[in-house]
Amino acid sequence: MDVLLKKGNPTKQKTACLVVGVNEGKKMSPAVAAIDAELDKALRKAMRRDAFSGKVGQTFAIDPATGLKAERVLFVGLGAEKKTTGEVLRRAVGTALKNAGDVRATDMMLVFESFELRHASDEERARVLTEGLLLGGYRFDRYLTSEESKKEKTPKVVTFQYATIKQEDAIRDGVAQAQAICRGVVLARDLVNEPGNVKSPTFLAEQAAAAGKETGFKCTILDQQQLEQENMGAMLGVAQGSEREPCLIVMEYNGGKKGEAPVALVGKGVVFDSGGISIKPSEGMEEMKMDMGGAAAVIGTLTAAALLKLPCNLVGVVPAVENMPSGSAIRPGDILTSASGKTIEVLNTDAEGRLILADALNYVSRYKPETVIDLATLTGACIIALGHEATAVLGNDDKLASALIGAGERAGERAWQLPLWDEYSELIKSDVADVKNIGGRPAGTITAAAFLQKFAEEYSWAHLDIAGTAWADSAKPCYPKGGTGVGVRLLIEYLKNASK
Ligand code: BES
Ligand code: MN
Ligand code: ZN
């Protein structure tokens, strides 16, 4: 999608769809009133008869828009001005995009002035609006072959219509930032949506390397033999049931001062999780191609950080494996020795994410990181606890957890903390090894984190369980069904503030 800028009078613009934001219960701004005047007060009348009030999610279209040069005027609700957030604006333009697509509008124009956001600069406003456009217009259609399905369903060109020359640079900067961030989000979505037959650990590594080459970060791949040299017994244990070789993807972005301790990002990269010998029920198993959502978020974040030239040092580590049942697979009862030296009793081969993360968390110690943040589609229990509305945050540093929750709120990716009290560790004590890989049914998300904590003792660490947020079962204004790319926007927002 091309995003263009145009200064001028909103009533004079030629476009297939002129999009105007309307707040609920507020006097019309002069820009909106001017448009409404040309429409014979159609908006005012609609509001009077309660056909449209400006509530979030509401739209009101006038088609054709006689009096204006636009073929359609689309009013979108932004809710009460006091409650309007960046996420409200993102969703509003996502909704507008879909509406314009439904009537086959090939271009769309946004009246910038009508999208108000309290305490936000023009740059930030332009950024969130562009995010809404780029994320709302996303589709994964590379495997659709019919002409009909290949047709673009949403406008290809969107123009910001603004009033003063002063706004121009700010809007341009905001748009550029959003384009960089969304490159990362879109890459993450694409990776999650790729089917398991295409998405081997090697494929993930190639994609990360290609992104690094294009945007400016280093990418090194450790193969099976090197993993053996690193004594990554936990990760190798998970991988041994699959025909496909595992690998560890190591990405480095250096935008900060030389020698400055990096932030390390670790992403669970299970390209397909069948459960292994503790095999999952066949119903819904296809969704487990998304079990590398953490890996996708890390690769996407490095991509966006490099494009934004963020002033920080980053290390991204992705343990990439496939979890399959076979004659060579690990069995319940097996004991693995992790790279840290700690032994793990595997009581359920479907609790594989924590095993590969154990070795990856140990691996990042060598970078003496300032902070370590891991992202993983780790537990079904997380969906029971928080549904699909929030990512779970746990860790050994409450300040870090709060900073991540705050960044998520601003970025439109909600996160919520769960406790990680010492008592939970009791549940993963093993009789025959240092730790066991399941803790029973109670507090499944927490016992998984308690397991990870044992491998993250040397640094400040947070764990994001994205099991409920990495995949959408149904479409929303800012994403279709499928991979959401969750994590990228949250992490970029966090890194922007952390490197200030
Ligand atoms: N990848 C799954 C968790 C998951 C479930 C992610 C649903 C997204 C949607 C993970 O590897 C898993 O299978 N976890 C088990 C752990 C259990 C065996 C302790 C689970 O949640 O059932
Ligand atoms: Mn599993
Ligand atoms: Zn898994």
Side-chain angles (χ1 to χ4, degrees):
M1 180 192 296
D2 291 330
V3 180
L4 308 176
L5 273 64
K6 188 156 191 279
K7 186 168 109 47
N9 182 334
T11 60
K12 300 264 155 64
Q13 305 303 320
K14 239 180 121 169
T15 170
C17 184
L18 188 71
V19 183
V20 185
V22 180
N23 282 111
E24 193 179 3
K26 192 188 149 225
K27 224 180 127 231
M28 255 179 229
S29 68
V32 179
I35 292 167
D36 198 32
E38 300 291 338
L39 295 170
D40 202 16
K41 305 238 164 85
L43 174 63
R44 182 150 308 218
K45 288 174 194 163
M47 290 178 107
R48 213 172 284 145
R49 57 170 205 274
D50 278 345
F52 176 80
S53 65
K55 270 198 182 55
V56 173
Q58 261 189 351
T59 57
F60 175 57
I62 298 181
D63 192 30
T66 39
L68 291 174
K69 289 208 175 102
E71 286 160 47
R72 153 173 283 209
V73 175
L74 179 69
F75 295 100
V76 291
L78 305 176
E81 195 200 355
K82 274 191 202 142
K83 287 195 188 154
T84 307
T85 59
E87 188 61 10
V88 168
L89 295 195
R90 284 187 201 97
R91 291 184 191 179
V93 292
T95 302
L97 204 63
K98 168 137 199 334
N99 185 295
D102 287 346
V103 294
R104 294 285 185 270
T106 50
D107 86 290
M108 191 168 102
M109 188 175 273
L110 298 179
V111 179
F112 185 69
E113 236 189 302
S114 68
F115 290 90
E116 293 179 57
L117 184 60
R118 279 152 50 105
H119 313 302
S121 62
D122 285 349
E123 179 182 313
E124 191 181 339
R125 247 176 348 124
R127 176 172 63 79
V128 295
L129 289 168
T130 309
E131 285 173 4
L133 292 169
L134 299 177
L135 299 178
Y138 174 83
R139 290 202 301 156
F140 185 73
D141 54 8
R142 64 182 61 153
Y143 296 103
L144 298 173
T145 64
S146 79
E147 282 305 312
E148 176 54 29
S149 59
K150 280 195 105 56
K151 257 192 223 143
E152 197 72 38
K153 297 268 179 2
T154 52
K156 275 198 199 98
V157 183
V158 179
T159 308
F160 280 92
Q161 184 283 316
Y162 58 96
T164 70
I165 189 83
K166 222 180 92 213
Q167 292 178 307
E168 194 174 297
D169 287 343
I171 297 176
R172 184 159 288 134
D173 285 351
V175 169
Q177 278 186 43
Q179 283 168 332
I181 293 171
C182 293
R183 265 284 290 285
V185 179
V186 164
L187 173 59
R189 288 182 181 181
D190 281 346
L191 291 175
V192 171
N193 288 332
E194 279 293 346
N197 57 329
V198 172
K199 192 165 50 185
S200 61
T202 312
F203 173 88
L204 260 197
E206 284 163 1
Q207 294 284 309
K213 204 164 165 209
E214 209 180 312
T215 64
F217 62 84
K218 206 175 120 194
C219 186
T220 319
I221 316 295
L222 275 65
D223 62 14
Q224 164 117 13
Q225 213 186 347
Q226 288 164 301
L227 298 177
E228 279 160 15
Q229 277 158 15
E230 292 283 344
N231 300 313
M232 294 199 167
M235 178 174 169
L236 288 164
V238 176
Q240 77 190 36
S242 170
E243 298 269 331
R244 289 161 161 179
E245 274 205 16
C247 62
L248 191 80
I249 309 169
V250 182
M251 295 159 278
E252 288 169 59
Y253 163 72
N254 292 310
K257 291 196 197 77
K258 217 177 160 190
E260 194 176 81
V263 173
L265 305 174
V266 177
K268 172 177 173 181
V270 176
V271 294
F272 185 72
D273 181 12
S274 68
I277 295 297
S278 314
I279 198 162
K280 289 180 182 293
S282 57
E283 199 185 316
M285 199 199 271
E286 72 281 355
E287 212 177 273
M288 279 304 121
K289 70 173 185 177
M290 59 76 102
D291 211 16
M292 35 57 71
V298 171
I299 297 168
T301 301
L302 268 102
T303 301
L307 285 171
L308 289 165
K309 300 202 162 41
L310 287 189
C312 61
N313 295 333
L314 288 177
V315 178
V317 172
V318 168
V321 301
E322 181 173 45
N323 188 21
M324 290 296 243
S326 75
S328 61
I330 44 166
R331 337 151 175 71
D334 282 5
I335 298 176
L336 302 173
T337 303
S338 69
S340 72
K342 289 193 174 83
T343 55
I344 305 165
E345 184 186 13
V346 179
L347 288 175
N348 189 317
T349 65
D350 198 11
E352 84 297 340
R354 61 198 79 183
L355 298 175
I356 66 169
L357 289 172
D359 282 343
L361 286 169
N362 175 261
Y363 186 85
V364 297
S365 291
R366 68 192 62 193
Y367 291 95
K368 304 261 173 297
E370 213 235 354
T371 12
V372 178
I373 304 165
D374 80 71
L375 298 96
T377 48
L378 203 63
T379 62
C382 186
I383 309 176
I384 305 300
L386 297 171
H388 300 283
E389 295 309 319
T391 293
V393 186
L394 304 98
N396 60 14
D397 179 349
D398 284 342
K399 257 204 182 139
L400 173 61
S402 303
L404 289 167
I405 292 167
E409 189 62 46
R410 291 192 298 281
E413 295 187 339
R414 281 199 175 121
W416 203 253
Q417 194 174 3
L418 296 178
L420 190 49
W421 297 309
D422 291 344
E423 285 77 359
Y424 292 108
S425 297
E426 296 295 320
L427 301 171
I428 49 168
K429 277 197 173 147
S430 160
D431 298 329
V432 291
D434 298 332
V435 64
K436 60 182 181 186
N437 80 330
I438 51 169
R441 277 174 66 82
T445 302
I446 303 178
T447 52
F451 179 96
L452 297 180
Q453 186 174 25
K454 301 215 176 298
F455 302 88
E457 283 166 342
E458 289 169 29
Y459 40 69
S460 159
W461 158 76
H463 159 63
L464 302 178
D465 194 330
I466 56 171
T469 48
W471 181 265
D473 294 320
S474 57
K476 287 269 168 65
C478 285
Y479 43 74
K481 181 181 167 184
T484 62
V486 77
V488 178
R489 286 190 285 148
L490 181 153
L491 289 173
I492 291 295
E493 183 64 31
Y494 167 78
L495 292 168
K496 264 177 26 188
N497 285 281
S499 58
K500 249 185 206 154

